[in-house]
Coordinates of all heavy atoms in Angstrom, one line a residue:
M1 N 12.0 8.1 -2.6 CA 12.3 6.8 -2.1 C 13.8 6.7 -1.7 O 14.6 7.3 -2.3 CB 12.1 5.8 -3.3 CG 10.7 5.7 -3.8 SD 10.6 4.6 -5.3 CE 11.0 3.0 -4.6
L2 N 14.0 6.0 -0.6 CA 15.3 5.9 0.0 C 15.9 4.5 -0.4 O 15.2 3.5 -0.4 CB 15.3 6.0 1.5 CG 14.9 7.3 2.1 CD1 14.8 7.2 3.6 CD2 15.8 8.4 1.6
F3 N 17.2 4.6 -0.8 CA 17.9 3.4 -1.1 C 19.3 3.4 -0.4 O 20.0 4.4 -0.4 CB 18.2 3.3 -2.6 CG 17.0 3.1 -3.5 CD1 16.3 4.2 -3.9 CD2 16.6 1.8 -3.8 CE1 15.1 4.0 -4.7 CE2 15.4 1.6 -4.6 CZ 14.7 2.7 -5.1
K4 N 19.7 2.2 0.1 CA 21.0 2.0 0.6 C 21.8 1.5 -0.7 O 21.4 0.6 -1.3 CB 21.1 1.0 1.7 CG 22.6 0.7 2.1 CD 22.7 -0.4 3.1 CE 22.5 -1.7 2.4 NZ 22.9 -2.9 3.3
V5 N 22.9 2.2 -0.9 CA 23.8 1.8 -2.0 C 25.2 1.6 -1.5 O 25.8 2.4 -0.8 CB 23.8 2.9 -3.1 CG1 24.7 2.5 -4.3 CG2 22.4 3.3 -3.6
E6 N 25.7 0.4 -1.8 CA 27.1 0.1 -1.4 C 27.9 0.0 -2.7 O 27.6 -0.6 -3.7 CB 27.1 -1.3 -0.7 CG 26.3 -1.2 0.6 CD 26.4 -2.5 1.4 OE1 26.9 -3.5 0.9 OE2 26.0 -2.5 2.6
M7 N 29.1 0.7 -2.6 CA 30.0 0.8 -3.8 C 31.3 0.4 -3.4 O 31.9 0.9 -2.4 CB 30.0 2.3 -4.3 CG 28.7 2.9 -4.6 SD 28.9 4.6 -5.2 CE 27.3 5.3 -4.8
K8 N 31.9 -0.5 -4.1 CA 33.3 -0.9 -3.9 C 34.1 -0.6 -5.2 O 33.7 -1.0 -6.3 CB 33.4 -2.4 -3.6 CG 34.8 -2.9 -3.3 CD 34.8 -4.4 -2.9 CE 36.2 -4.8 -2.5 NZ 37.3 -4.3 -3.4
V9 N 35.1 0.2 -5.0 CA 35.9 0.7 -6.1 C 37.0 -0.3 -6.4 O 37.8 -0.7 -5.6 CB 36.5 2.1 -5.8 CG1 37.2 2.6 -7.1 CG2 35.4 3.0 -5.4
N10 N 37.1 -0.6 -7.7 CA 38.2 -1.5 -8.2 C 38.9 -0.9 -9.4 O 38.5 -1.3 -10.6 CB 37.6 -2.9 -8.6 CG 36.7 -3.5 -7.6 OD1 37.1 -3.8 -6.5 ND2 35.4 -3.7 -7.9
I11 N 39.7 0.0 -9.2 CA 40.4 0.7 -10.3 C 41.5 -0.3 -10.8 O 42.3 -0.8 -10.0 CB 41.0 2.0 -9.9 CG1 39.9 3.0 -9.6 CG2 42.0 2.6 -11.0 CD1 40.3 4.4 -9.2
P12 N 41.6 -0.5 -12.1 CA 42.6 -1.5 -12.6 C 44.0 -1.0 -12.3 O 44.3 0.2 -12.3 CB 42.4 -1.4 -14.2 CG 41.0 -0.9 -14.3 CD 40.7 0.0 -13.2
H13 N 44.8 -2.0 -11.9 CA 46.2 -1.6 -11.5 C 47.0 -1.0 -12.6 O 48.0 -0.3 -12.3 CB 46.9 -2.9 -10.9 CG 46.2 -3.4 -9.7 ND1 46.2 -2.7 -8.5 CD2 45.6 -4.6 -9.4 CE1 45.5 -3.4 -7.6 NE2 45.2 -4.6 -8.1
D14 N 46.6 -1.3 -13.8 CA 47.4 -0.8 -14.9 C 46.9 0.6 -15.4 O 47.4 1.1 -16.4 CB 47.5 -1.8 -16.1 CG 46.1 -2.2 -16.6 OD1 45.1 -1.7 -16.0 OD2 46.1 -2.9 -17.6
M15 N 45.9 1.1 -14.7 CA 45.4 2.5 -15.2 C 46.4 3.5 -14.8 O 46.8 3.6 -13.6 CB 44.0 2.8 -14.5 CG 43.5 4.2 -15.0 SD 41.9 4.6 -14.1 CE 40.8 3.5 -15.0
P16 N 46.9 4.4 -15.7 CA 47.8 5.4 -15.3 C 47.3 6.3 -14.2 O 46.1 6.6 -14.1 CB 48.0 6.2 -16.6 CG 47.6 5.3 -17.7 CD 46.5 4.4 -17.1
V17 N 48.2 6.7 -13.3 CA 47.8 7.4 -12.1 C 47.1 8.7 -12.5 O 46.1 9.1 -11.8 CB 49.1 7.7 -11.3 CG1 48.8 8.7 -10.1 CG2 49.7 6.5 -10.7
D18 N 47.6 9.4 -13.5 CA 46.9 10.7 -13.9 C 45.5 10.5 -14.4 O 44.6 11.3 -14.2 CB 47.8 11.5 -14.8 CG 48.1 10.7 -16.1 OD1 48.2 9.5 -16.1 OD2 48.1 11.3 -17.2
V19 N 45.3 9.4 -15.1 CA 43.9 9.0 -15.6 C 43.0 8.7 -14.4 O 41.9 9.3 -14.3 CB 44.0 7.8 -16.6 CG1 42.6 7.4 -17.0 CG2 44.8 8.2 -17.8
A20 N 43.5 7.9 -13.5 CA 42.7 7.6 -12.3 C 42.4 8.9 -11.5 O 41.3 9.1 -11.0 CB 43.5 6.6 -11.4
A21 N 43.4 9.8 -11.3 CA 43.2 11.0 -10.6 C 42.1 11.9 -11.3 O 41.3 12.5 -10.6 CB 44.5 11.8 -10.5
G22 N 42.1 11.9 -12.6 CA 41.1 12.7 -13.3 C 39.7 12.1 -13.1 O 38.7 12.9 -12.9
I23 N 39.5 10.8 -13.2 CA 38.2 10.2 -12.9 C 37.8 10.4 -11.5 O 36.6 10.7 -11.3 CB 38.3 8.7 -13.2 CG1 38.6 8.4 -14.7 CG2 37.0 8.0 -12.9 CD1 38.9 7.0 -15.0
K24 N 38.7 10.3 -10.5 CA 38.3 10.6 -9.1 C 37.9 12.0 -8.9 O 36.9 12.3 -8.1 CB 39.5 10.3 -8.2 CG 39.8 8.8 -8.1 CD 41.0 8.5 -7.2 CE 41.5 7.1 -7.3 NZ 42.7 6.9 -6.5
A25 N 38.5 13.0 -9.6 CA 38.1 14.4 -9.5 C 36.7 14.6 -10.0 O 35.9 15.3 -9.4 CB 39.1 15.3 -10.2
L26 N 36.4 14.0 -11.2 CA 35.1 14.1 -11.8 C 34.0 13.4 -10.8 O 32.9 14.0 -10.7 CB 35.0 13.4 -13.1 CG 35.8 14.0 -14.3 CD1 35.8 13.1 -15.5 CD2 35.2 15.4 -14.6
E27 N 34.4 12.3 -10.3 CA 33.5 11.6 -9.3 C 33.2 12.5 -8.1 O 32.0 12.5 -7.7 CB 34.2 10.3 -8.9 CG 33.4 9.5 -7.9 CD 32.4 8.5 -8.5 OE1 32.4 8.4 -9.8 OE2 31.6 8.0 -7.8
K28 N 34.2 13.1 -7.6 CA 34.0 14.0 -6.4 C 33.0 15.1 -6.7 O 32.1 15.4 -6.0 CB 35.4 14.5 -5.9 CG 35.3 15.4 -4.7 CD 36.6 15.8 -4.2 CE 36.5 16.5 -2.8 NZ 37.9 16.8 -2.3
A29 N 33.3 15.8 -7.9 CA 32.4 16.9 -8.2 C 30.9 16.4 -8.4 O 30.0 17.0 -8.0 CB 32.9 17.5 -9.5
Y30 N 30.8 15.2 -9.1 CA 29.5 14.6 -9.4 C 28.8 14.3 -8.0 O 27.6 14.6 -7.8 CB 29.7 13.4 -10.2 CG 28.4 12.7 -10.7 CD1 27.8 13.1 -11.9 CD2 27.9 11.6 -10.0 CE1 26.7 12.4 -12.3 CE2 26.7 10.9 -10.4 CZ 26.1 11.3 -11.6 OH 25.0 10.7 -12.1
A31 N 29.5 13.6 -7.1 CA 29.0 13.2 -5.8 C 28.6 14.5 -5.0 O 27.5 14.5 -4.4 CB 30.0 12.4 -5.1
Q32 N 29.4 15.5 -5.0 CA 29.1 16.7 -4.2 C 27.9 17.4 -4.8 O 27.1 18.0 -4.0 CB 30.3 17.6 -4.1 CG 31.4 16.9 -3.3 CD 32.6 17.7 -2.9 OE1 32.9 18.7 -3.7 NE2 33.3 17.4 -1.9
E33 N 27.7 17.5 -6.1 CA 26.6 18.1 -6.7 C 25.3 17.4 -6.3 O 24.3 18.0 -5.9 CB 26.7 18.2 -8.2 CG 25.5 18.8 -8.9 CD 25.1 20.2 -8.4 OE1 25.9 20.9 -7.8 OE2 23.9 20.5 -8.5
L34 N 25.3 16.0 -6.3 CA 24.1 15.3 -5.9 C 23.8 15.4 -4.4 O 22.7 15.5 -4.0 CB 24.3 13.8 -6.3 CG 24.3 13.5 -7.8 CD1 24.5 12.0 -8.0 CD2 23.0 13.9 -8.5
Q35 N 24.9 15.6 -3.6 CA 24.6 15.9 -2.2 C 24.0 17.2 -2.0 O 23.1 17.4 -1.2 CB 26.0 15.8 -1.4 CG 26.5 14.4 -1.3 CD 27.9 14.3 -0.7 OE1 28.1 14.5 0.5 NE2 28.8 14.1 -1.6
R36 N 24.5 18.2 -2.8 CA 23.9 19.6 -2.7 C 22.4 19.5 -3.1 O 21.6 20.3 -2.5 CB 24.7 20.6 -3.5 CG 25.9 21.1 -2.9 CD 26.6 22.2 -3.6 NE 27.3 21.8 -4.8 CZ 28.6 21.4 -4.8 NH1 29.3 21.5 -3.7 NH2 29.1 21.0 -5.9
Q37 N 22.1 18.7 -4.1 CA 20.7 18.6 -4.5 C 19.8 17.8 -3.6 O 18.6 17.7 -3.8 CB 20.6 17.9 -5.9 CG 21.2 18.7 -7.0 CD 21.3 18.0 -8.3 OE1 20.6 16.9 -8.5 NE2 22.1 18.5 -9.3
G38 N 20.4 17.2 -2.5 CA 19.7 16.4 -1.6 C 19.4 15.0 -2.1 O 18.6 14.2 -1.4
K39 N 19.9 14.6 -3.2 CA 19.7 13.2 -3.7 C 20.6 12.2 -3.1 O 20.2 11.0 -3.0 CB 19.8 13.2 -5.3 CG 18.7 14.1 -5.9 CD 18.8 14.1 -7.4 CE 17.8 15.0 -8.1 NZ 16.4 14.6 -7.9
W40 N 21.8 12.6 -2.8 CA 22.8 11.7 -2.1 C 22.9 12.1 -0.7 O 23.7 13.0 -0.3 CB 24.1 11.8 -2.9 CG 25.1 10.7 -2.6 CD1 25.3 10.0 -1.5 CD2 26.1 10.3 -3.5 NE1 26.3 9.1 -1.6 CE2 26.9 9.2 -2.9 CE3 26.5 10.6 -4.8 CZ2 27.9 8.6 -3.5 CZ3 27.5 9.9 -5.4 CH2 28.2 8.9 -4.7
R41 N 22.0 11.5 0.2 CA 21.8 12.0 1.5 C 23.0 11.7 2.5 O 23.3 12.5 3.4 CB 20.6 11.4 2.1 CG 19.3 12.1 1.7 CD 18.5 12.5 2.9 NE 17.1 12.2 2.6 CZ 16.3 11.8 3.6 NH1 16.7 11.5 4.8 NH2 15.0 11.6 3.2
H42 N 23.6 10.5 2.3 CA 24.7 10.1 3.2 C 25.7 9.5 2.3 O 25.4 8.7 1.4 CB 24.2 9.1 4.3 CG 23.4 9.7 5.3 ND1 23.9 10.4 6.4 CD2 22.0 9.8 5.4 CE1 22.8 10.8 7.2 NE2 21.7 10.5 6.6
L43 N 27.0 9.8 2.7 CA 28.1 9.1 2.0 C 29.2 8.8 3.1 O 29.8 9.7 3.7 CB 28.7 10.1 1.0 CG 30.1 9.7 0.3 CD1 30.0 8.4 -0.3 CD2 30.4 10.8 -0.7
W44 N 29.3 7.5 3.3 CA 30.3 7.1 4.4 C 31.3 6.2 3.8 O 31.0 5.3 3.0 CB 29.5 6.3 5.5 CG 28.5 7.2 6.2 CD1 27.2 7.3 6.0 CD2 28.8 8.0 7.3 NE1 26.6 8.2 6.9 CE2 27.6 8.6 7.7 CE3 30.0 8.3 8.1 CZ2 27.5 9.5 8.8 CZ3 29.9 9.2 9.1 CH2 28.7 9.8 9.5
R45 N 32.5 6.4 4.2 CA 33.6 5.5 3.8 C 33.5 4.3 4.7 O 33.2 4.4 5.9 CB 35.0 6.2 4.1 CG 36.2 5.3 3.9 CD 36.4 4.8 2.4 NE 36.8 5.9 1.5 CZ 36.3 6.0 0.3 NH1 35.4 5.2 -0.2 NH2 36.8 7.0 -0.5
V46 N 33.7 3.1 4.2 CA 33.8 1.8 4.9 C 35.2 1.7 5.4 O 36.1 1.6 4.6 CB 33.4 0.6 4.1 CG1 33.5 -0.7 4.9 CG2 31.9 0.8 3.6
A47 N 35.4 1.9 6.7 CA 36.8 1.9 7.2 C 37.6 0.7 6.8 O 37.1 -0.4 6.8 CB 36.8 2.0 8.7
G48 N 38.8 1.0 6.3 CA 39.7 -0.1 5.9 C 39.6 -0.6 4.5 O 40.2 -1.5 4.1
S49 N 38.7 0.1 3.7 CA 38.5 -0.4 2.4 C 38.3 0.8 1.4 O 38.0 1.9 1.9 CB 37.3 -1.3 2.3 OG 36.2 -0.6 2.6
Y50 N 38.4 0.6 0.1 CA 38.1 1.6 -0.9 C 36.6 1.3 -1.3 O 36.3 0.8 -2.4 CB 39.0 1.5 -2.0 CG 38.9 2.7 -3.0 CD1 38.1 3.8 -2.7 CD2 39.7 2.8 -4.1 CE1 38.0 4.9 -3.6 CE2 39.7 3.9 -5.0 CZ 38.8 4.9 -4.7 OH 38.8 6.0 -5.6
A51 N 35.7 1.6 -0.3 CA 34.3 1.3 -0.5 C 33.5 2.3 0.3 O 34.0 2.9 1.2 CB 34.0 -0.1 0.0
N52 N 32.2 2.5 -0.1 CA 31.4 3.4 0.7 C 30.0 2.8 0.8 O 29.6 1.9 0.1 CB 31.3 4.8 0.0 CG 30.4 4.8 -1.3 OD1 29.2 4.7 -1.2 ND2 31.1 4.9 -2.4
V53 N 29.3 3.3 1.9 CA 27.9 3.0 2.1 C 27.2 4.4 1.9 O 27.6 5.4 2.6 CB 27.6 2.4 3.4 CG1 26.1 2.3 3.6 CG2 28.2 1.0 3.5
S54 N 26.2 4.4 1.1 CA 25.5 5.7 0.8 C 24.0 5.5 0.9 O 23.5 4.4 0.8 CB 25.8 6.1 -0.6 OG 27.2 6.5 -0.8
I55 N 23.3 6.6 1.2 CA 21.9 6.7 1.2 C 21.4 7.7 0.1 O 21.9 8.8 0.1 CB 21.3 7.1 2.5 CG1 21.7 6.2 3.7 CG2 19.7 7.1 2.4 CD1 21.3 4.7 3.6
F56 N 20.7 7.2 -0.9 CA 20.1 8.0 -1.9 C 18.6 8.3 -1.7 O 17.9 7.4 -1.2 CB 20.3 7.4 -3.3 CG 21.7 7.5 -3.9 CD1 22.8 6.8 -3.4 CD2 21.9 8.4 -4.9 CE1 24.0 6.9 -3.9 CE2 23.2 8.5 -5.5 CZ 24.2 7.8 -5.0
D57 N 18.2 9.5 -2.0 CA 16.8 9.9 -1.9 C 16.4 10.3 -3.3 O 16.7 11.5 -3.7 CB 16.6 11.0 -0.8 CG 15.2 11.3 -0.5 OD1 14.3 10.7 -1.2 OD2 14.9 12.1 0.4
V58 N 15.7 9.5 -4.0 CA 15.3 9.7 -5.4 C 13.8 9.4 -5.6 O 13.2 8.8 -4.8 CB 16.2 8.8 -6.3 CG1 17.6 9.3 -6.2 CG2 16.0 7.4 -6.0
A59 N 13.4 9.8 -6.8 CA 11.9 9.7 -7.1 C 11.6 8.2 -7.2 O 10.5 7.7 -6.8 CB 11.6 10.4 -8.3
D60 N 12.4 7.4 -7.9 CA 12.1 6.1 -8.2 C 13.3 5.3 -8.7 O 14.4 5.8 -8.7 CB 11.0 6.0 -9.3 CG 11.4 6.9 -10.6 OD1 12.6 7.0 -10.8 OD2 10.4 7.3 -11.2
N61 N 13.1 4.0 -9.0 CA 14.2 3.1 -9.4 C 14.9 3.7 -10.6 O 16.1 3.6 -10.8 CB 13.7 1.7 -9.7 CG 13.1 1.0 -8.6 OD1 12.9 1.6 -7.5 ND2 12.9 -0.3 -8.7
A62 N 14.1 4.2 -11.5 CA 14.7 4.8 -12.8 C 15.7 5.9 -12.5 O 16.7 6.0 -13.1 CB 13.6 5.2 -13.7
E63 N 15.3 6.8 -11.6 CA 16.2 7.9 -11.3 C 17.5 7.4 -10.6 O 18.6 7.9 -10.9 CB 15.5 9.0 -10.4 CG 16.5 10.2 -10.2 CD 15.9 11.3 -9.3 OE1 14.9 11.0 -8.5 OE2 16.4 12.4 -9.4
L64 N 17.3 6.4 -9.7 CA 18.5 5.8 -9.1 C 19.4 5.3 -10.1 O 20.7 5.5 -10.1 CB 18.1 4.8 -8.1 CG 19.3 4.2 -7.3 CD1 19.9 5.2 -6.3 CD2 18.9 2.9 -6.5
Q65 N 18.9 4.5 -11.0 CA 19.7 3.9 -12.1 C 20.4 5.0 -12.9 O 21.6 4.9 -13.2 CB 18.8 3.0 -13.0 CG 19.5 2.5 -14.2 CD 20.6 1.5 -13.9 OE1 20.7 1.0 -12.7 NE2 21.5 1.3 -14.8
E66 N 19.7 6.1 -13.2 CA 20.3 7.1 -14.0 C 21.5 7.8 -13.3 O 22.5 8.0 -13.9 CB 19.2 8.2 -14.3 CG 19.6 9.4 -15.1 CD 18.5 10.4 -15.2 OE1 17.3 10.1 -15.1 OE2 18.9 11.6 -15.3
L67 N 21.2 8.1 -12.0 CA 22.3 8.7 -11.2 C 23.5 7.8 -11.0 O 24.7 8.2 -11.2 CB 21.8 9.2 -9.8 CG 20.6 10.2 -9.9 CD1 20.3 10.6 -8.5 CD2 21.1 11.4 -10.7
I68 N 23.2 6.5 -10.7 CA 24.4 5.6 -10.4 C 25.1 5.3 -11.7 O 26.4 5.3 -11.7 CB 23.8 4.3 -9.8 CG1 23.4 4.6 -8.4 CG2 24.9 3.2 -9.8 CD1 22.9 3.4 -7.6
S69 N 24.4 5.2 -12.8 CA 25.1 4.8 -14.1 C 25.9 6.0 -14.6 O 26.8 5.9 -15.4 CB 24.2 4.3 -15.1 OG 23.2 5.2 -15.4
G70 N 25.6 7.2 -14.1 CA 26.3 8.4 -14.5 C 27.6 8.7 -13.7 O 28.4 9.6 -13.9
L71 N 27.8 7.8 -12.6 CA 29.0 8.0 -11.8 C 30.3 7.8 -12.7 O 30.4 6.8 -13.4 CB 29.1 7.0 -10.7 CG 28.0 7.2 -9.6 CD1 27.9 5.9 -8.8 CD2 28.5 8.3 -8.7
P72 N 31.2 8.7 -12.7 CA 32.4 8.5 -13.5 C 33.2 7.2 -13.1 O 33.8 6.6 -14.0 CB 33.3 9.8 -13.1 CG 32.2 10.8 -12.9 CD 31.2 10.1 -12.1
L73 N 33.1 6.8 -11.9 CA 33.7 5.5 -11.5 C 32.9 4.3 -11.7 O 33.3 3.2 -11.4 CB 34.1 5.6 -10.0 CG 35.4 6.4 -9.6 CD1 35.5 6.5 -8.1 CD2 36.6 5.7 -10.2
F74 N 31.7 4.5 -12.3 CA 30.7 3.4 -12.5 C 31.3 2.2 -13.1 O 31.1 1.0 -12.7 CB 29.5 3.9 -13.3 CG 28.5 2.8 -13.5 CD1 27.6 2.4 -12.5 CD2 28.3 2.2 -14.8 CE1 26.7 1.4 -12.7 CE2 27.3 1.2 -15.0 CZ 26.5 0.8 -13.9
P75 N 32.2 2.3 -14.2 CA 32.7 1.1 -14.8 C 33.7 0.4 -13.9 O 34.1 -0.8 -14.2 CB 33.5 1.7 -16.1 CG 33.0 3.1 -16.3 CD 32.6 3.6 -14.9
Y76 N 34.1 1.0 -12.8 CA 35.1 0.4 -12.0 C 34.6 0.1 -10.6 O 35.4 0.0 -9.6 CB 36.3 1.4 -11.9 CG 36.8 1.8 -13.2 CD1 36.5 3.2 -13.6 CD2 37.4 1.0 -14.1 CE1 36.9 3.6 -14.9 CE2 37.8 1.4 -15.4 CZ 37.5 2.7 -15.7 OH 37.9 3.2 -17.0
M77 N 33.3 0.0 -10.5 CA 32.7 -0.3 -9.1 C 31.8 -1.5 -9.1 O 31.1 -1.8 -10.1 CB 32.0 0.9 -8.6 CG 32.8 2.1 -8.3 SD 32.1 3.3 -7.2 CE 30.9 4.1 -8.4
D78 N 31.9 -2.3 -8.0 CA 30.8 -3.3 -7.8 C 29.8 -2.5 -6.9 O 30.1 -1.9 -5.9 CB 31.4 -4.5 -7.0 CG 32.4 -5.3 -7.8 OD1 32.1 -5.4 -9.1 OD2 33.4 -5.7 -7.3
I79 N 28.5 -2.6 -7.3 CA 27.5 -1.8 -6.6 C 26.3 -2.7 -6.2 O 25.9 -3.5 -7.0 CB 27.0 -0.7 -7.6 CG1 28.1 0.3 -7.9 CG2 25.8 0.1 -6.9 CD1 27.8 1.3 -9.0
S80 N 25.9 -2.5 -5.0 CA 24.7 -3.2 -4.6 C 23.7 -2.2 -4.0 O 24.1 -1.2 -3.4 CB 25.0 -4.3 -3.6 OG 25.5 -3.8 -2.4
V81 N 22.4 -2.5 -4.3 CA 21.3 -1.6 -3.9 C 20.3 -2.3 -3.1 O 19.9 -3.4 -3.4 CB 20.7 -1.0 -5.2 CG1 19.4 -0.2 -4.9 CG2 21.7 -0.2 -6.0
A82 N 19.8 -1.6 -2.0 CA 18.7 -2.1 -1.2 C 17.7 -1.0 -1.0 O 18.1 0.1 -0.5 CB 19.2 -2.7 0.1
P83 N 16.4 -1.3 -1.3 CA 15.4 -0.3 -1.0 C 15.1 -0.2 0.5 O 15.2 -1.2 1.3 CB 14.1 -0.8 -1.7 CG 14.3 -2.2 -1.8 CD 15.8 -2.5 -1.9
L84 N 14.8 1.0 1.0 CA 14.6 1.2 2.5 C 13.2 1.7 2.7 O 12.6 2.4 1.9 CB 15.6 2.3 3.0 CG 17.1 1.9 2.8 CD1 17.9 3.1 3.3 CD2 17.5 0.6 3.6
C85 N 12.7 1.4 3.9 CA 11.4 2.0 4.3 C 11.5 2.4 5.8 O 12.5 1.9 6.5 CB 10.2 1.2 4.0 SG 10.3 -0.5 4.8
R86 N 10.6 3.1 6.3 CA 10.6 3.6 7.6 C 10.6 2.5 8.6 O 9.8 1.6 8.5 CB 9.5 4.6 7.9 CG 9.6 5.4 9.2 CD 8.5 6.5 9.3 NE 8.9 7.4 10.3 CZ 8.8 7.1 11.6 NH1 8.3 6.0 12.0 NH2 9.2 8.0 12.5
H87 N 11.5 2.6 9.6 CA 11.5 1.6 10.7 C 10.4 2.0 11.7 O 10.4 3.1 12.1 CB 12.9 1.5 11.4 CG 13.0 0.3 12.2 ND1 12.3 0.1 13.4 CD2 13.7 -0.9 12.1 CE1 12.6 -1.0 14.0 NE2 13.5 -1.7 13.2
P88 N 9.6 1.1 12.2 CA 8.5 1.5 13.1 C 9.0 2.0 14.5 O 8.3 2.7 15.2 CB 7.7 0.1 13.3 CG 8.6 -0.9 12.9 CD 9.5 -0.3 11.8
S89 N 10.3 1.7 14.8 CA 10.8 2.2 16.1 C 11.6 3.5 15.9 O 12.1 4.0 16.9 CB 11.7 1.2 16.7 OG 11.0 0.0 16.9
S90 N 11.7 4.0 14.7 CA 12.6 5.2 14.4 C 11.9 6.4 15.0 O 10.7 6.6 14.9 CB 12.8 5.4 12.9 OG 13.4 6.6 12.7
I91 N 12.7 7.3 15.7 CA 12.1 8.5 16.2 C 12.4 9.7 15.3 O 12.0 10.8 15.6 CB 12.8 8.8 17.6 CG1 14.3 9.1 17.5 CG2 12.4 7.7 18.6 CD1 14.9 9.7 18.7
H92 N 12.9 9.4 14.1 CA 13.3 10.5 13.2 C 12.1 10.7 12.2 O 11.8 9.8 11.3 CB 14.6 10.2 12.4 CG 15.7 10.1 13.4 ND1 16.2 11.1 14.1 CD2 16.4 9.0 13.8 CE1 17.2 10.7 14.8 NE2 17.4 9.4 14.7
A93 N 11.5 11.8 12.3 CA 10.3 12.1 11.5 C 10.6 12.2 10.0 O 9.7 11.9 9.2 CB 9.6 13.4 11.9
D94 N 11.9 12.5 9.7 CA 12.2 12.6 8.2 C 12.5 11.3 7.6 O 12.8 11.3 6.4 CB 13.3 13.6 8.0 CG 14.6 13.2 8.7 OD1 14.6 12.3 9.5 OD2 15.6 13.7 8.3
D95 N 12.5 10.2 8.3 CA 12.7 8.9 7.7 C 11.5 8.5 6.9 O 10.4 8.5 7.4 CB 13.0 7.8 8.8 CG 14.3 8.0 9.4 OD1 15.1 8.8 9.0 OD2 14.5 7.3 10.4
R96 N 11.7 8.2 5.6 CA 10.6 7.8 4.7 C 10.9 6.5 4.1 O 12.1 6.1 4.0 CB 10.4 8.9 3.6 CG 9.8 10.1 4.2 CD 9.6 11.1 3.1 NE 10.8 11.9 2.8 CZ 11.3 12.1 1.6 NH1 10.7 11.6 0.6 NH2 12.4 12.8 1.4
Ligands
MUC101 O1 35.4 7.0 -3.0 C1 34.4 6.3 -3.2 O2 33.8 5.7 -2.3 C2 33.8 6.2 -4.6 C3 33.0 7.4 -5.0 C4 31.9 7.8 -4.2 C5 31.9 9.2 -4.0 C6 33.1 9.6 -4.5 O3 33.5 10.8 -4.5 O4 33.9 8.6 -5.0

């Protein structure tokens, strides 16, 4: 199942820089591993903001919840999710 996931990062201003850097490094490793597994299909920065638009390809809602709640930045993000389905005009056979 495909989901559009929008994440906006709100790191508290009083978080020490080294603590924030550590969480961001963990987040990067976590995100890159999910991309290698094919579960995090697209990861785009929203220009001009500390936010991203992502496409996840997971088995079901429960797996999406598990992966998203495991994000090291999860406590510091506003997240919105939308389920996707194939567009009838899409020419891409791998769209599901
Ligand atoms: O930077 C972000 O958009 C937040 C998060 C998503 C992937 C990652 O490495 O960090």
